[in-house]
Each structure stands twice: as C-alpha cells, then as structure tokens.
Amino acid sequence: MSDSKSQQSSEVPTLLVRDSNNSELLCFLEQIVPINNIEYVLLTPVDTPVCLFHLLDEGDPELIKTIEKKEPVLEVADVVLQEHDLRLIRSAVTLTVSGELEEPEPEELEEKDFDDESETYELLVSFKVEEEEYGLYIPLDPFFVVGKLEDGQATVVEGDEFDKIQPLIESELEERDN
C-alpha cells in the first residue's frame, strides 16, 4: 500500500478539506466537477481510512457510525496502533491511520463482508476496552470524499447538500467516461 501511495503523491495534487466541525483531512485531488458555476471536487484521503467496529460474540461486527474524538475506545486504539508504528488521526469525514502499512499476503488477507451495503473490509487491529472487543478495519472499496472549492478553500459537502449534489456529480462523471 505504501508504494502506491508514494507513487500517487508525486503525481496527484493534494488538498486540505475541512468539515462543518472544522476538522481537517488531507486528500488527493482526483477530479474537479463544475456544476452550476461551483467547483466540486472528488477526493481520496492521503492516509488510510479506517472504520471502527464493535465485535460481537455472535453475528456480524457492528459499525460504529458516529464517535466522539475523545472517546476512550479511540485512546486504546491509539496505543495499539503505536505498537505497530501507526498513528490514528481523528480526521474530517473518517478516522484515518498514518504510517507504513504492510501489504498483506493474499493468503493472509482476512476479508470480511459485513455491513448493509456489503462492503468488504480488512482487519487492521482488534483490541478490548472494558471486556468489549473492537476492531479497526480498512475498507477495501475506494473511499471518496466530495468537497466544494470556494475562495481557494475546500470544504466537505455534507448532509442535504451532499444528497442533492451526489447524483449530479455521478451523472457528470458518467458523461465524461462516455
């Protein structure tokens, strides 16, 4: 993973994008999509995005969709990741991990299909907090962030605005591919 990231970083410009909470995420600029005289941008995080799951004794792990930045679970995750020379970053939009991630051998890859959207994840680390087990998983599907450029600044497109603009961006990108 680190080789492709370093190759990509030398070829693709980066943008610092902010969300409504003023949290930041450094991203590669993948596409600029002008719609109604506004420049929307399709971005991918520079660091590796991760999702936090509560690992249950029975059934599929449960995705934790909203989490406070000072959550004790994240403090434990920080310590576990530091043992692997990795760092958890509480970024805009998603949690990310920075550091050199080792490429797993294909036979060692523990892929899990869970979540309603049947996304595929790879377990990065698991750990316990107060007898509850958690895991940080890397989504194997591409992780895109939609932003808006205004006055040289990039902001994350969220909520209702995202719901309205997403189909227009998808339509524009489909037209470009044809």
Side-chain angles (χ1 to χ4, degrees):
M1 215 177 282
S2 58
D3 288 342
S4 64
K5 289 271 185 186
S6 60
Q7 254 183 349
Q8 188 175 10
S9 64
S10 64
E11 300 166 6
V12 180
T14 57
L15 271 178
L16 190 62
V17 65
R18 293 181 197 273
D19 67 9
S20 58
N21 297 324
N22 216 23
S23 295
E24 301 175 334
L25 179 63
L26 184 62
C27 292
F28 292 114
L29 174 61
E30 301 293 340
Q31 298 266 344
I32 297 175
V33 184
I35 296 174
N36 299 331
N37 297 322
I38 297 173
E39 285 191 324
Y40 290 93
V41 287
L42 196 57
L43 309 162
T44 55
V46 170
D47 292 320
T48 304
V50 292
C51 299
L52 179 65
F53 282 85
H54 183 210
L55 305 179
L56 308 169
D57 290 336
E58 295 178 22
D60 286 342
E62 186 177 285
L63 175 65
I64 299 174
K65 291 184 180 179
T66 56
I67 189 160
E68 297 298 318
K69 289 185 177 190
K70 299 219 183 268
E71 191 79 34
V73 170
L74 295 182
E75 292 172 18
V76 174
D78 270 330
V79 172
V80 172
L81 288 170
Q82 287 171 13
E83 293 170 5
H84 299 278
D85 294 323
L86 300 172
R87 199 174 102 216
L88 183 65
I89 302 170
R90 293 147 176 89
S91 308
V93 183
T94 186
L95 295 171
T96 58
V97 172
S98 70
E100 292 295 318
L101 291 172
E102 294 178 20
E103 278 291 329
E105 298 297 321
E107 62 273 3
E108 291 176 12
L109 192 60
E110 182 186 331
E111 290 183 12
K112 296 280 187 197
D113 278 332
F114 46 80
D115 195 25
D116 296 337
E117 293 121 29
S118 70
E119 293 182 40
T120 305
Y121 296 88
E122 175 192 341
L123 177 64
L124 178 61
V125 294
S126 62
F127 52 93
K128 284 194 172 191
V129 178
E130 298 177 7
E131 302 303 315
E132 296 289 323
E133 193 166 359
Y134 295 88
L136 285 176
Y137 284 80
I138 300 170
L140 297 179
D141 294 330
F143 188 94
F144 292 103
V145 176
V146 176
K148 178 169 51 174
L149 287 177
E150 294 177 302
D151 302 323
Q153 301 290 314
T155 55
V156 176
V157 177
E158 302 172 277
D160 290 341
E161 184 181 8
F162 177 79
D163 294 340
K164 290 176 188 170
I165 203 67
Q166 180 187 12
L168 299 174
I169 290 174
E170 288 174 357
S171 173
E172 174 66 27
L173 292 174
E174 281 177 23
E175 283 182 30
R176 289 182 186 182
D177 288 342
N178 293 333

